[in-house]
Amino acid sequence: MCAYVLVAEDDPKQAELARRYLEHEGHAVVVVGDGRAALEEARRNPPDLMVLDVMMPRVDDLQDLSAADAGELRLHPQPIDLADLLPAVADAFAASADRAGVTLTVHAPPALVTADPIRLRQAVGNLVTNAIRHTPAGGSVAVSARTESDAHVIDVADTGPGLSAAERALVFERFWRAEKSRSRQTGGSGLGLSIVRKLIEAHGGTATVTSDPGAGSTFSLRLPR
Ligand SMILES: Nc1ncnc2c1ncn2[C@@H]1O[C@H](COP(=O)(O)OP(=O)(O)OP(=O)(O)O)[C@@H](O)[C@H]1O
Ligand SMILES: [Mg+2]
């Protein structure tokens, strides 16, 4: 069991939904009104409970994980050309890449996959969001597709700080974040990659990462051919 401290200052309804989900999963939850109170509350927590995070997970994310756990992630697979889907995803993130001073490129030769277009966009979009967030201004994020003998592979490569072997082993875990200060400015609640993995596994594929610390990360989604 873990103890979670949820900050409800902006969105009490969201906090309530997150509390119900986490308690249902057997975790201890404290909901507080603001970030400072959350830190104090976290310090006061009984020592036998590990305070994992001060966070506000998106309810959509929690619902996706519940559905995946229950084997109830409903997919609507159809033929999709990655030459259409990947540029569309990149377009959706062009403005945020611009704001971050990051060059976003896409290289997607025609490749037909059978997948749920909404879920595949969600998975690639999560990777692109992370990549932009972790790439310093002046760097780049490359979205590309390639075909292997048994799979179509989508790569999202960035020129950010990369991940150590220890971090790579944890990065797809729920609620795991490398940055331990979890204010909302520095990002989300550490669910994005666990959802990416679930979504791709539901398609019969895999989600993996390779990285050289200091030389960026590449997240790869493999969809069976
Ligand atoms: N491209 C990347 N480069 C470096 N570190 C990354 C990258 N992508 C993810 N990480 C690390 O992995 C952690 C987990 O990522 P994940 O997407 O699961 O959660 P998040 O982005 O923190 O929150 P959320 O996705 O729920 O908004 C991040 O907090 C970050 O520390
Ligand atoms: Mg994320």
Side-chain angles (χ1 to χ4, degrees):
M1 177 168 74
C2 297
Y4 291 96
V5 181
L6 304 181
V7 184
E9 66 191 332
D10 294 335
D11 194 343
K13 191 162 164 254
Q14 178 97 341
E16 176 56 24
L17 288 168
R19 181 186 67 73
R20 273 193 235 156
Y21 169 82
L22 290 166
E23 285 181 351
H24 174 76
E25 297 288 297
H27 301 297
V29 181
V30 183
V31 180
V32 298
D34 63 68
R36 184 191 305 255
L39 286 175
E40 282 159 15
E41 189 58 48
R43 280 194 210 101
R44 268 201 302 275
N45 255 282
D48 58 324
L49 297 180
M50 178 180 61
V51 175
L52 197 70
D53 210 338
V54 175
M55 54 149 207
M56 179 43 71
R58 285 175 295 269
V59 172
D60 282 357
D61 287 351
L62 293 172
Q63 284 169 344
D64 282 349
L65 282 172
S66 300
D69 288 348
E72 285 167 2
L73 212 51
R74 278 190 304 276
L75 296 180
H76 303 286
Q78 60 186 66
I80 306 168
D81 192 342
L82 294 180
D84 297 326
L85 184 128
L86 294 181
V89 174
D91 271 0
F93 289 93
S96 79
D98 242 30
R99 273 195 300 277
V102 169
T103 304
L104 178 59
T105 62
V106 56
H107 171 74
L112 273 191
V113 300
T114 302
D116 182 322
I118 292 174
R119 294 310 202 170
L120 188 55
R121 271 174 188 245
Q122 179 184 356
V124 179
N126 272 350
L127 297 183
V128 173
T129 303
N130 282 348
I132 293 172
R133 189 185 283 157
H134 291 96
T135 300
S140 60
V141 171
V143 179
S144 59
R146 61 197 160 87
T147 298
E148 293 183 346
S149 57
D150 57 349
H152 292 291
V153 187
I154 299 168
D155 292 314
V156 178
D158 65 59
T159 58
L163 294 154
S164 67
E167 290 171 330
R168 290 197 297 278
L170 291 167
V171 80
F172 288 98
E173 294 293 317
R174 291 171 194 199
F175 298 117
W176 185 86
R177 300 189 61 214
E179 306 82 14
K180 291 305 171 201
S181 75
R182 288 151 204 249
S183 78
R184 255 162 286 177
Q185 287 89 326
T186 62
S189 47
L191 291 179
L193 287 173
S194 57
I195 292 168
V196 169
R197 180 164 270 179
K198 288 283 186 190
L199 291 176
I200 298 304
E201 286 177 354
H203 284 85
T206 60
T208 55
V209 61
T210 56
S211 173
D212 282 328
S217 313
T218 300
F219 285 84
S220 300
L221 307 181
R222 278 193 168 67
L223 293 166
R225 282 181 76 179

